[in-house]
Amino acid sequence: WSSDVCSSDLGPHGCGKKTLVRWFVEKTGKTIRLYDAAKLSGTKELILWLAEIKNSDFLLIENLEKMPSETANCLTDILTNFSFEFPNPQTKKSENWETPHFTMIGLADKTAKLNPGLLESFHHVFNLEPYTQDQIALIIHSWERISLSAAKRLEIGRAHV
């Protein structure tokens, strides 16, 4: 992923969205900055979050559907241009702030409540579903086979010592 790629992982609570993203980012060796849109007070706080970001960081915002609409519109503009225009109260003129290039990953439980403009700004959208009972049984069975295989290799290794 280049630094300007955005993705959104959508799915019900507990289906593994954040776990999947953390695993992926760990494999890249990049820094991940995790924020919760449910705790976001508004656009000023979003700008403070972005001020902490460095080039090539991953910005992970969970509960994206809870982001205030005005703030979501601001984030959409930033994701499009990697810049933000704001009024300077001292000079009373508009100023432009260029943000570092970062990778944005948004997590949401409820797609219907997402800001449509923000959703459209994501280049990749993944819809995750919880595992079925059959899938869970298959995972457990696979882990049991792996564990038994590892135990047998360990036993064989001990026998040769």
Side-chain angles (χ1 to χ4, degrees), residues 7-9 18 21 32-38 40 46 49-50 53 58-67 71 75 79 102-108 114 118 122:
S7 99
S8 179
D9 293 350
K18 193 172 11 173
V21 170
I32 186 169
R33 304 211 180 255
L34 174 64
Y35 299 101
D36 187 343
L40 182 65
L46 173 68
W49 288 358
L50 295 175
I53 292 181
F58 280 79
L59 171 64
L60 172 59
I61 301 179
E62 60 182 334
N63 295 311
L64 206 55
E65 74 278 10
K66 296 178 181 175
M67 183 175 282
T71 307
L75 180 57
L79 292 173
F102 58 90
T103 300
M104 164 74 191
I105 301 174
L107 305 180
L114 273 174
L118 183 57
F122 289 107

PDB file of all heavy atoms in Angstrom, residues 7-9 18 21 32-38 40 46 49-50 53 58-67 71 75 79 102-108 114 118 122:
ATOM      1  N   SER A   7      -8.597   2.522   3.112  1.00  0.00           N
ATOM      2  CA  SER A   7      -9.461   1.354   3.111  1.00  0.00           C
ATOM      3  C   SER A   7     -10.436   1.470   4.262  1.00  0.00           C
ATOM      4  O   SER A   7     -10.179   2.154   5.250  1.00  0.00           O
ATOM      5  CB  SER A   7      -8.656   0.065   3.206  1.00  0.00           C
ATOM      6  OG  SER A   7      -8.609  -0.434   4.494  1.00  0.00           O
ATOM      7  N   SER A   8     -11.535   0.814   4.102  1.00  0.00           N
ATOM      8  CA  SER A   8     -12.533   0.790   5.151  1.00  0.00           C
ATOM      9  C   SER A   8     -12.943  -0.654   5.370  1.00  0.00           C
ATOM     10  O   SER A   8     -13.275  -1.354   4.420  1.00  0.00           O
ATOM     11  CB  SER A   8     -13.745   1.627   4.738  1.00  0.00           C
ATOM     12  OG  SER A   8     -14.724   1.600   5.739  1.00  0.00           O
ATOM     13  N   ASP A   9     -12.863  -1.102   6.599  1.00  0.00           N
ATOM     14  CA  ASP A   9     -13.301  -2.439   6.962  1.00  0.00           C
ATOM     15  C   ASP A   9     -14.635  -2.298   7.679  1.00  0.00           C
ATOM     16  O   ASP A   9     -14.722  -1.622   8.696  1.00  0.00           O
ATOM     17  CB  ASP A   9     -12.287  -3.124   7.873  1.00  0.00           C
ATOM     18  CG  ASP A   9     -10.975  -3.412   7.155  1.00  0.00           C
ATOM     19  OD1 ASP A   9     -10.929  -3.250   5.925  1.00  0.00           O
ATOM     20  OD2 ASP A   9     -10.013  -3.798   7.824  1.00  0.00           O
ATOM     21  N   LYS A  18     -10.430  -4.856  13.651  1.00  0.00           N
ATOM     22  CA  LYS A  18      -9.227  -4.235  14.224  1.00  0.00           C
ATOM     23  C   LYS A  18      -8.079  -5.235  14.303  1.00  0.00           C
ATOM     24  O   LYS A  18      -6.930  -4.888  14.036  1.00  0.00           O
ATOM     25  CB  LYS A  18      -9.542  -3.653  15.607  1.00  0.00           C
ATOM     26  CG  LYS A  18      -8.451  -2.750  16.112  1.00  0.00           C
ATOM     27  CD  LYS A  18      -8.747  -1.972  17.380  1.00  0.00           C
ATOM     28  CE  LYS A  18      -9.952  -2.324  18.153  1.00  0.00           C
ATOM     29  NZ  LYS A  18     -10.081  -1.645  19.425  1.00  0.00           N
ATOM     30  N   VAL A  21      -6.487  -5.518  10.854  1.00  0.00           N
ATOM     31  CA  VAL A  21      -5.703  -4.333  10.506  1.00  0.00           C
ATOM     32  C   VAL A  21      -4.397  -4.306  11.298  1.00  0.00           C
ATOM     33  O   VAL A  21      -3.324  -4.038  10.737  1.00  0.00           O
ATOM     34  CB  VAL A  21      -6.517  -3.040  10.750  1.00  0.00           C
ATOM     35  CG1 VAL A  21      -5.634  -1.813  10.632  1.00  0.00           C
ATOM     36  CG2 VAL A  21      -7.674  -2.967   9.770  1.00  0.00           C
ATOM     37  N   ILE A  32       1.256   2.602  13.614  1.00  0.00           N
ATOM     38  CA  ILE A  32      -0.200   2.714  13.541  1.00  0.00           C
ATOM     39  C   ILE A  32      -0.662   3.651  14.649  1.00  0.00           C
ATOM     40  O   ILE A  32      -0.216   3.556  15.784  1.00  0.00           O
ATOM     41  CB  ILE A  32      -0.886   1.335  13.641  1.00  0.00           C
ATOM     42  CG1 ILE A  32      -2.391   1.469  13.419  1.00  0.00           C
ATOM     43  CG2 ILE A  32      -0.598   0.674  14.957  1.00  0.00           C
ATOM     44  CD1 ILE A  32      -3.104   0.153  13.235  1.00  0.00           C
ATOM     45  N   ARG A  33      -1.510   4.568  14.282  1.00  0.00           N
ATOM     46  CA  ARG A  33      -2.089   5.503  15.249  1.00  0.00           C
ATOM     47  C   ARG A  33      -3.577   5.191  15.321  1.00  0.00           C
ATOM     48  O   ARG A  33      -4.288   5.316  14.335  1.00  0.00           O
ATOM     49  CB  ARG A  33      -1.838   6.926  14.816  1.00  0.00           C
ATOM     50  CG  ARG A  33      -0.350   7.180  14.617  1.00  0.00           C
ATOM     51  CD  ARG A  33       0.027   8.592  14.915  1.00  0.00           C
ATOM     52  NE  ARG A  33       1.443   8.791  14.724  1.00  0.00           N
ATOM     53  CZ  ARG A  33       2.313   8.899  15.705  1.00  0.00           C
ATOM     54  NH1 ARG A  33       1.910   8.808  16.951  1.00  0.00           N
ATOM     55  NH2 ARG A  33       3.578   9.098  15.473  1.00  0.00           N
ATOM     56  N   LEU A  34      -4.023   4.776  16.481  1.00  0.00           N
ATOM     57  CA  LEU A  34      -5.394   4.320  16.670  1.00  0.00           C
ATOM     58  C   LEU A  34      -6.213   5.384  17.380  1.00  0.00           C
ATOM     59  O   LEU A  34      -5.810   5.875  18.437  1.00  0.00           O
ATOM     60  CB  LEU A  34      -5.398   3.022  17.491  1.00  0.00           C
ATOM     61  CG  LEU A  34      -6.748   2.464  17.924  1.00  0.00           C
ATOM     62  CD1 LEU A  34      -7.580   2.070  16.715  1.00  0.00           C
ATOM     63  CD2 LEU A  34      -6.550   1.267  18.832  1.00  0.00           C
ATOM     64  N   TYR A  35      -7.347   5.736  16.793  1.00  0.00           N
ATOM     65  CA  TYR A  35      -8.265   6.717  17.371  1.00  0.00           C
ATOM     66  C   TYR A  35      -9.683   6.174  17.290  1.00  0.00           C
ATOM     67  O   TYR A  35     -10.000   5.342  16.457  1.00  0.00           O
ATOM     68  CB  TYR A  35      -8.179   8.057  16.639  1.00  0.00           C
ATOM     69  CG  TYR A  35      -6.802   8.683  16.709  1.00  0.00           C
ATOM     70  CD1 TYR A  35      -5.926   8.594  15.635  1.00  0.00           C
ATOM     71  CD2 TYR A  35      -6.379   9.347  17.852  1.00  0.00           C
ATOM     72  CE1 TYR A  35      -4.658   9.150  15.702  1.00  0.00           C
ATOM     73  CE2 TYR A  35      -5.119   9.915  17.927  1.00  0.00           C
ATOM     74  CZ  TYR A  35      -4.264   9.812  16.841  1.00  0.00           C
ATOM     75  OH  TYR A  35      -3.011  10.361  16.915  1.00  0.00           O
ATOM     76  N   ASP A  36     -10.546   6.700  18.144  1.00  0.00           N
ATOM     77  CA  ASP A  36     -11.938   6.272  18.197  1.00  0.00           C
ATOM     78  C   ASP A  36     -12.829   7.463  17.868  1.00  0.00           C
ATOM     79  O   ASP A  36     -12.866   8.442  18.616  1.00  0.00           O
ATOM     80  CB  ASP A  36     -12.251   5.733  19.599  1.00  0.00           C
ATOM     81  CG  ASP A  36     -13.620   5.107  19.705  1.00  0.00           C
ATOM     82  OD1 ASP A  36     -14.477   5.347  18.824  1.00  0.00           O
ATOM     83  OD2 ASP A  36     -13.850   4.378  20.684  1.00  0.00           O
ATOM     84  N   ALA A  37     -13.540   7.387  16.752  1.00  0.00           N
ATOM     85  CA  ALA A  37     -14.408   8.488  16.330  1.00  0.00           C
ATOM     86  C   ALA A  37     -15.532   8.737  17.324  1.00  0.00           C
ATOM     87  O   ALA A  37     -16.059   9.847  17.395  1.00  0.00           O
ATOM     88  CB  ALA A  37     -14.988   8.213  14.941  1.00  0.00           C
ATOM     89  N   ALA A  38     -15.900   7.736  18.112  1.00  0.00           N
ATOM     90  CA  ALA A  38     -16.951   7.913  19.116  1.00  0.00           C
ATOM     91  C   ALA A  38     -16.520   8.898  20.196  1.00  0.00           C
ATOM     92  O   ALA A  38     -17.355   9.499  20.867  1.00  0.00           O
ATOM     93  CB  ALA A  38     -17.328   6.579  19.734  1.00  0.00           C
ATOM     94  N   LEU A  40     -14.480  11.501  19.523  1.00  0.00           N
ATOM     95  CA  LEU A  40     -14.048  12.711  18.826  1.00  0.00           C
ATOM     96  C   LEU A  40     -15.035  13.845  19.068  1.00  0.00           C
ATOM     97  O   LEU A  40     -16.223  13.707  18.814  1.00  0.00           O
ATOM     98  CB  LEU A  40     -13.958  12.414  17.319  1.00  0.00           C
ATOM     99  CG  LEU A  40     -13.488  13.506  16.399  1.00  0.00           C
ATOM    100  CD1 LEU A  40     -12.032  13.865  16.691  1.00  0.00           C
ATOM    101  CD2 LEU A  40     -13.606  13.043  14.948  1.00  0.00           C
ATOM    102  N   LEU A  46      -9.828  16.416  15.437  1.00  0.00           N
ATOM    103  CA  LEU A  46      -9.333  15.649  14.291  1.00  0.00           C
ATOM    104  C   LEU A  46      -8.007  16.241  13.807  1.00  0.00           C
ATOM    105  O   LEU A  46      -7.051  15.509  13.549  1.00  0.00           O
ATOM    106  CB  LEU A  46     -10.348  15.644  13.146  1.00  0.00           C
ATOM    107  CG  LEU A  46      -9.866  15.005  11.847  1.00  0.00           C
ATOM    108  CD1 LEU A  46      -9.666  13.506  12.009  1.00  0.00           C
ATOM    109  CD2 LEU A  46     -10.840  15.308  10.713  1.00  0.00           C
ATOM    110  N   TRP A  49      -5.286  15.202  16.025  1.00  0.00           N
ATOM    111  CA  TRP A  49      -4.892  13.824  15.734  1.00  0.00           C
ATOM    112  C   TRP A  49      -3.926  13.807  14.554  1.00  0.00           C
ATOM    113  O   TRP A  49      -2.892  13.156  14.590  1.00  0.00           O
ATOM    114  CB  TRP A  49      -6.096  12.971  15.386  1.00  0.00           C
ATOM    115  CG  TRP A  49      -7.029  12.612  16.499  1.00  0.00           C
ATOM    116  CD1 TRP A  49      -6.912  12.930  17.827  1.00  0.00           C
ATOM    117  CD2 TRP A  49      -8.235  11.879  16.375  1.00  0.00           C
ATOM    118  NE1 TRP A  49      -7.978  12.430  18.527  1.00  0.00           N
ATOM    119  CE2 TRP A  49      -8.807  11.780  17.668  1.00  0.00           C
ATOM    120  CE3 TRP A  49      -8.898  11.290  15.313  1.00  0.00           C
ATOM    121  CZ2 TRP A  49      -9.997  11.113  17.911  1.00  0.00           C
ATOM    122  CZ3 TRP A  49     -10.082  10.626  15.545  1.00  0.00           C
ATOM    123  CH2 TRP A  49     -10.630  10.530  16.840  1.00  0.00           C
ATOM    124  N   LEU A  50      -4.306  14.527  13.497  1.00  0.00           N
ATOM    125  CA  LEU A  50      -3.504  14.522  12.275  1.00  0.00           C
ATOM    126  C   LEU A  50      -2.141  15.181  12.478  1.00  0.00           C
ATOM    127  O   LEU A  50      -1.175  14.835  11.795  1.00  0.00           O
ATOM    128  CB  LEU A  50      -4.265  15.205  11.133  1.00  0.00           C
ATOM    129  CG  LEU A  50      -5.543  14.488  10.687  1.00  0.00           C
ATOM    130  CD1 LEU A  50      -6.277  15.312   9.650  1.00  0.00           C
ATOM    131  CD2 LEU A  50      -5.230  13.105  10.155  1.00  0.00           C
ATOM    132  N   ILE A  53       0.633  12.725  13.166  1.00  0.00           N
ATOM    133  CA  ILE A  53       0.962  11.745  12.133  1.00  0.00           C
ATOM    134  C   ILE A  53       2.220  12.160  11.366  1.00  0.00           C
ATOM    135  O   ILE A  53       2.442  13.331  11.100  1.00  0.00           O
ATOM    136  CB  ILE A  53      -0.231  11.578  11.177  1.00  0.00           C
ATOM    137  CG1 ILE A  53      -1.360  10.922  11.941  1.00  0.00           C
ATOM    138  CG2 ILE A  53       0.147  10.797   9.944  1.00  0.00           C
ATOM    139  CD1 ILE A  53      -2.574  10.676  11.135  1.00  0.00           C
ATOM    140  N   PHE A  58       0.133   4.767   9.560  1.00  0.00           N
ATOM    141  CA  PHE A  58      -1.229   4.292   9.340  1.00  0.00           C
ATOM    142  C   PHE A  58      -2.127   4.980  10.361  1.00  0.00           C
ATOM    143  O   PHE A  58      -1.828   4.964  11.559  1.00  0.00           O
ATOM    144  CB  PHE A  58      -1.326   2.774   9.544  1.00  0.00           C
ATOM    145  CG  PHE A  58      -0.854   1.974   8.370  1.00  0.00           C
ATOM    146  CD1 PHE A  58       0.494   1.774   8.141  1.00  0.00           C
ATOM    147  CD2 PHE A  58      -1.763   1.431   7.485  1.00  0.00           C
ATOM    148  CE1 PHE A  58       0.936   1.033   7.058  1.00  0.00           C
ATOM    149  CE2 PHE A  58      -1.345   0.689   6.400  1.00  0.00           C
ATOM    150  CZ  PHE A  58       0.015   0.491   6.182  1.00  0.00           C
ATOM    151  N   LEU A  59      -3.182   5.590   9.891  1.00  0.00           N
ATOM    152  CA  LEU A  59      -4.182   6.203  10.753  1.00  0.00           C
ATOM    153  C   LEU A  59      -5.378   5.263  10.770  1.00  0.00           C
ATOM    154  O   LEU A  59      -6.003   5.026   9.744  1.00  0.00           O
ATOM    155  CB  LEU A  59      -4.599   7.574  10.223  1.00  0.00           C
ATOM    156  CG  LEU A  59      -5.787   8.241  10.912  1.00  0.00           C
ATOM    157  CD1 LEU A  59      -5.454   8.550  12.369  1.00  0.00           C
ATOM    158  CD2 LEU A  59      -6.188   9.510  10.176  1.00  0.00           C
ATOM    159  N   LEU A  60      -5.657   4.691  11.924  1.00  0.00           N
ATOM    160  CA  LEU A  60      -6.785   3.781  12.081  1.00  0.00           C
ATOM    161  C   LEU A  60      -7.824   4.466  12.947  1.00  0.00           C
ATOM    162  O   LEU A  60      -7.559   4.796  14.098  1.00  0.00           O
ATOM    163  CB  LEU A  60      -6.318   2.476  12.742  1.00  0.00           C
ATOM    164  CG  LEU A  60      -7.401   1.484  13.158  1.00  0.00           C
ATOM    165  CD1 LEU A  60      -8.229   1.045  11.964  1.00  0.00           C
ATOM    166  CD2 LEU A  60      -6.785   0.286  13.847  1.00  0.00           C
ATOM    167  N   ILE A  61      -8.988   4.712  12.367  1.00  0.00           N
ATOM    168  CA  ILE A  61     -10.086   5.321  13.118  1.00  0.00           C
ATOM    169  C   ILE A  61     -11.219   4.303  13.187  1.00  0.00           C
ATOM    170  O   ILE A  61     -11.766   3.902  12.166  1.00  0.00           O
ATOM    171  CB  ILE A  61     -10.577   6.628  12.474  1.00  0.00           C
ATOM    172  CG1 ILE A  61      -9.445   7.650  12.385  1.00  0.00           C
ATOM    173  CG2 ILE A  61     -11.754   7.196  13.279  1.00  0.00           C
ATOM    174  CD1 ILE A  61      -9.843   8.970  11.744  1.00  0.00           C
ATOM    175  N   GLU A  62     -11.535   3.884  14.415  1.00  0.00           N
ATOM    176  CA  GLU A  62     -12.642   2.950  14.588  1.00  0.00           C
ATOM    177  C   GLU A  62     -13.923   3.720  14.904  1.00  0.00           C
ATOM    178  O   GLU A  62     -13.882   4.901  15.224  1.00  0.00           O
ATOM    179  CB  GLU A  62     -12.327   1.911  15.663  1.00  0.00           C
ATOM    180  CG  GLU A  62     -12.048   2.451  17.031  1.00  0.00           C
ATOM    181  CD  GLU A  62     -11.689   1.359  18.015  1.00  0.00           C
ATOM    182  OE1 GLU A  62     -12.102   0.192  17.832  1.00  0.00           O
ATOM    183  OE2 GLU A  62     -10.998   1.669  18.990  1.00  0.00           O
ATOM    184  N   ASN A  63     -15.044   3.029  14.791  1.00  0.00           N
ATOM    185  CA  ASN A  63     -16.374   3.636  14.992  1.00  0.00           C
ATOM    186  C   ASN A  63     -16.571   4.826  14.066  1.00  0.00           C
ATOM    187  O   ASN A  63     -17.118   5.859  14.446  1.00  0.00           O
ATOM    188  CB  ASN A  63     -16.559   4.052  16.458  1.00  0.00           C
ATOM    189  CG  ASN A  63     -16.557   2.870  17.384  1.00  0.00           C
ATOM    190  OD1 ASN A  63     -17.255   1.892  17.142  1.00  0.00           O
ATOM    191  ND2 ASN A  63     -15.750   2.932  18.427  1.00  0.00           N
ATOM    192  N   LEU A  64     -16.143   4.668  12.836  1.00  0.00           N
ATOM    193  CA  LEU A  64     -16.194   5.744  11.853  1.00  0.00           C
ATOM    194  C   LEU A  64     -17.611   6.269  11.639  1.00  0.00           C
ATOM    195  O   LEU A  64     -17.809   7.445  11.351  1.00  0.00           O
ATOM    196  CB  LEU A  64     -15.620   5.237  10.527  1.00  0.00           C
ATOM    197  CG  LEU A  64     -15.023   6.239   9.573  1.00  0.00           C
ATOM    198  CD1 LEU A  64     -13.948   7.069  10.237  1.00  0.00           C
ATOM    199  CD2 LEU A  64     -14.476   5.555   8.349  1.00  0.00           C
ATOM    200  N   GLU A  65     -18.598   5.398  11.850  1.00  0.00           N
ATOM    201  CA  GLU A  65     -19.996   5.810  11.658  1.00  0.00           C
ATOM    202  C   GLU A  65     -20.440   6.810  12.720  1.00  0.00           C
ATOM    203  O   GLU A  65     -21.465   7.473  12.568  1.00  0.00           O
ATOM    204  CB  GLU A  65     -20.923   4.586  11.638  1.00  0.00           C
ATOM    205  CG  GLU A  65     -21.167   3.929  12.971  1.00  0.00           C
ATOM    206  CD  GLU A  65     -20.088   2.949  13.434  1.00  0.00           C
ATOM    207  OE1 GLU A  65     -19.008   2.884  12.819  1.00  0.00           O
ATOM    208  OE2 GLU A  65     -20.330   2.249  14.424  1.00  0.00           O
ATOM    209  N   LYS A  66     -19.653   6.967  13.790  1.00  0.00           N
ATOM    210  CA  LYS A  66     -20.012   7.889  14.872  1.00  0.00           C
ATOM    211  C   LYS A  66     -19.317   9.248  14.732  1.00  0.00           C
ATOM    212  O   LYS A  66     -19.497  10.118  15.587  1.00  0.00           O
ATOM    213  CB  LYS A  66     -19.679   7.260  16.220  1.00  0.00           C
ATOM    214  CG  LYS A  66     -20.509   6.015  16.483  1.00  0.00           C
ATOM    215  CD  LYS A  66     -20.168   5.360  17.788  1.00  0.00           C
ATOM    216  CE  LYS A  66     -21.035   4.104  17.959  1.00  0.00           C
ATOM    217  NZ  LYS A  66     -20.679   3.362  19.154  1.00  0.00           N
ATOM    218  N   MET A  67     -18.549   9.427  13.665  1.00  0.00           N
ATOM    219  CA  MET A  67     -17.861  10.697  13.454  1.00  0.00           C
ATOM    220  C   MET A  67     -18.879  11.775  13.086  1.00  0.00           C
ATOM    221  O   MET A  67     -19.733  11.556  12.223  1.00  0.00           O
ATOM    222  CB  MET A  67     -16.818  10.560  12.334  1.00  0.00           C
ATOM    223  CG  MET A  67     -16.006  11.825  12.097  1.00  0.00           C
ATOM    224  SD  MET A  67     -14.698  11.589  10.864  1.00  0.00           S
ATOM    225  CE  MET A  67     -13.489  10.726  11.857  1.00  0.00           C
ATOM    226  N   THR A  71     -17.069  16.951  10.702  1.00  0.00           N
ATOM    227  CA  THR A  71     -15.718  16.416  10.832  1.00  0.00           C
ATOM    228  C   THR A  71     -15.439  15.392   9.733  1.00  0.00           C
ATOM    229  O   THR A  71     -14.347  15.359   9.163  1.00  0.00           O
ATOM    230  CB  THR A  71     -15.532  15.785  12.221  1.00  0.00           C
ATOM    231  OG1 THR A  71     -15.897  16.749  13.208  1.00  0.00           O
ATOM    232  CG2 THR A  71     -14.110  15.353  12.447  1.00  0.00           C
ATOM    233  N   LEU A  75     -12.464  15.439   6.993  1.00  0.00           N
ATOM    234  CA  LEU A  75     -11.567  14.308   6.761  1.00  0.00           C
ATOM    235  C   LEU A  75     -11.603  13.891   5.289  1.00  0.00           C
ATOM    236  O   LEU A  75     -10.568  13.567   4.706  1.00  0.00           O
ATOM    237  CB  LEU A  75     -11.930  13.138   7.671  1.00  0.00           C
ATOM    238  CG  LEU A  75     -11.064  11.889   7.541  1.00  0.00           C
ATOM    239  CD1 LEU A  75      -9.584  12.201   7.788  1.00  0.00           C
ATOM    240  CD2 LEU A  75     -11.556  10.807   8.490  1.00  0.00           C
ATOM    241  N   LEU A  79      -8.354  13.614   2.943  1.00  0.00           N
ATOM    242  CA  LEU A  79      -7.976  12.380   2.252  1.00  0.00           C
ATOM    243  C   LEU A  79      -7.850  12.599   0.747  1.00  0.00           C
ATOM    244  O   LEU A  79      -7.078  11.922   0.082  1.00  0.00           O
ATOM    245  CB  LEU A  79      -8.999  11.279   2.531  1.00  0.00           C
ATOM    246  CG  LEU A  79      -9.033  10.755   3.960  1.00  0.00           C
ATOM    247  CD1 LEU A  79     -10.201   9.796   4.147  1.00  0.00           C
ATOM    248  CD2 LEU A  79      -7.724  10.095   4.335  1.00  0.00           C
ATOM    249  N   PHE A 102      -0.323   9.757   4.629  1.00  0.00           N
ATOM    250  CA  PHE A 102      -0.541   8.642   5.539  1.00  0.00           C
ATOM    251  C   PHE A 102      -1.544   7.696   4.911  1.00  0.00           C
ATOM    252  O   PHE A 102      -2.204   8.030   3.932  1.00  0.00           O
ATOM    253  CB  PHE A 102      -1.053   9.143   6.897  1.00  0.00           C
ATOM    254  CG  PHE A 102      -2.334   9.924   6.804  1.00  0.00           C
ATOM    255  CD1 PHE A 102      -3.560   9.295   6.896  1.00  0.00           C
ATOM    256  CD2 PHE A 102      -2.305  11.299   6.612  1.00  0.00           C
ATOM    257  CE1 PHE A 102      -4.742  10.010   6.801  1.00  0.00           C
ATOM    258  CE2 PHE A 102      -3.479  12.023   6.518  1.00  0.00           C
ATOM    259  CZ  PHE A 102      -4.708  11.379   6.619  1.00  0.00           C
ATOM    260  N   THR A 103      -1.640   6.527   5.464  1.00  0.00           N
ATOM    261  CA  THR A 103      -2.635   5.555   5.021  1.00  0.00           C
ATOM    262  C   THR A 103      -3.769   5.551   6.030  1.00  0.00           C
ATOM    263  O   THR A 103      -3.547   5.340   7.213  1.00  0.00           O
ATOM    264  CB  THR A 103      -2.023   4.145   4.922  1.00  0.00           C
ATOM    265  OG1 THR A 103      -0.956   4.177   3.978  1.00  0.00           O
ATOM    266  CG2 THR A 103      -3.062   3.133   4.456  1.00  0.00           C
ATOM    267  N   MET A 104      -4.948   5.815   5.549  1.00  0.00           N
ATOM    268  CA  MET A 104      -6.134   5.876   6.408  1.00  0.00           C
ATOM    269  C   MET A 104      -6.880   4.555   6.333  1.00  0.00           C
ATOM    270  O   MET A 104      -7.133   4.035   5.250  1.00  0.00           O
ATOM    271  CB  MET A 104      -7.030   7.012   5.922  1.00  0.00           C
ATOM    272  CG  MET A 104      -8.441   6.995   6.426  1.00  0.00           C
ATOM    273  SD  MET A 104      -8.536   7.502   8.139  1.00  0.00           S
ATOM    274  CE  MET A 104     -10.227   7.048   8.477  1.00  0.00           C
ATOM    275  N   ILE A 105      -7.199   4.001   7.485  1.00  0.00           N
ATOM    276  CA  ILE A 105      -8.042   2.816   7.561  1.00  0.00           C
ATOM    277  C   ILE A 105      -9.179   3.142   8.519  1.00  0.00           C
ATOM    278  O   ILE A 105      -8.944   3.561   9.650  1.00  0.00           O
ATOM    279  CB  ILE A 105      -7.265   1.586   8.060  1.00  0.00           C
ATOM    280  CG1 ILE A 105      -6.098   1.301   7.111  1.00  0.00           C
ATOM    281  CG2 ILE A 105      -8.189   0.379   8.177  1.00  0.00           C
ATOM    282  CD1 ILE A 105      -5.178   0.205   7.579  1.00  0.00           C
ATOM    283  N   GLY A 106     -10.382   3.005   8.046  1.00  0.00           N
ATOM    284  CA  GLY A 106     -11.551   3.272   8.865  1.00  0.00           C
ATOM    285  C   GLY A 106     -12.282   1.990   9.185  1.00  0.00           C
ATOM    286  O   GLY A 106     -12.408   1.116   8.334  1.00  0.00           O
ATOM    287  N   LEU A 107     -12.746   1.876  10.409  1.00  0.00           N
ATOM    288  CA  LEU A 107     -13.519   0.710  10.834  1.00  0.00           C
ATOM    289  C   LEU A 107     -14.911   1.168  11.240  1.00  0.00           C
ATOM    290  O   LEU A 107     -15.054   2.180  11.925  1.00  0.00           O
ATOM    291  CB  LEU A 107     -12.851   0.020  12.021  1.00  0.00           C
ATOM    292  CG  LEU A 107     -11.401  -0.403  11.852  1.00  0.00           C
ATOM    293  CD1 LEU A 107     -10.898  -1.075  13.125  1.00  0.00           C
ATOM    294  CD2 LEU A 107     -11.234  -1.327  10.669  1.00  0.00           C
ATOM    295  N   ALA A 108     -15.913   0.435  10.811  1.00  0.00           N
ATOM    296  CA  ALA A 108     -17.290   0.811  11.139  1.00  0.00           C
ATOM    297  C   ALA A 108     -18.131  -0.435  11.341  1.00  0.00           C
ATOM    298  O   ALA A 108     -17.948  -1.437  10.648  1.00  0.00           O
ATOM    299  CB  ALA A 108     -17.886   1.667  10.030  1.00  0.00           C
ATOM    300  N   LEU A 114     -22.623   5.616   7.912  1.00  0.00           N
ATOM    301  CA  LEU A 114     -21.394   6.274   7.482  1.00  0.00           C
ATOM    302  C   LEU A 114     -21.701   7.492   6.614  1.00  0.00           C
ATOM    303  O   LEU A 114     -22.629   7.470   5.806  1.00  0.00           O
ATOM    304  CB  LEU A 114     -20.525   5.318   6.671  1.00  0.00           C
ATOM    305  CG  LEU A 114     -19.581   4.436   7.452  1.00  0.00           C
ATOM    306  CD1 LEU A 114     -18.895   3.448   6.528  1.00  0.00           C
ATOM    307  CD2 LEU A 114     -18.548   5.245   8.190  1.00  0.00           C
ATOM    308  N   LEU A 118     -17.452  10.445   2.857  1.00  0.00           N
ATOM    309  CA  LEU A 118     -16.288   9.787   3.452  1.00  0.00           C
ATOM    310  C   LEU A 118     -16.169   8.369   2.925  1.00  0.00           C
ATOM    311  O   LEU A 118     -15.078   7.927   2.540  1.00  0.00           O
ATOM    312  CB  LEU A 118     -16.388   9.804   4.976  1.00  0.00           C
ATOM    313  CG  LEU A 118     -15.211   9.215   5.744  1.00  0.00           C
ATOM    314  CD1 LEU A 118     -13.901   9.913   5.378  1.00  0.00           C
ATOM    315  CD2 LEU A 118     -15.459   9.317   7.239  1.00  0.00           C
ATOM    316  N   PHE A 122     -12.857   6.197   0.220  1.00  0.00           N
ATOM    317  CA  PHE A 122     -12.052   5.000   0.440  1.00  0.00           C
ATOM    318  C   PHE A 122     -11.864   4.254  -0.879  1.00  0.00           C
ATOM    319  O   PHE A 122     -12.812   4.003  -1.596  1.00  0.00           O
ATOM    320  CB  PHE A 122     -12.710   4.087   1.479  1.00  0.00           C
ATOM    321  CG  PHE A 122     -12.643   4.642   2.869  1.00  0.00           C
ATOM    322  CD1 PHE A 122     -13.769   5.160   3.482  1.00  0.00           C
ATOM    323  CD2 PHE A 122     -11.438   4.665   3.553  1.00  0.00           C
ATOM    324  CE1 PHE A 122     -13.703   5.688   4.753  1.00  0.00           C
ATOM    325  CE2 PHE A 122     -11.359   5.194   4.833  1.00  0.00           C
ATOM    326  CZ  PHE A 122     -12.495   5.712   5.430  1.00  0.00           C
TER     327      PHE A 122
END
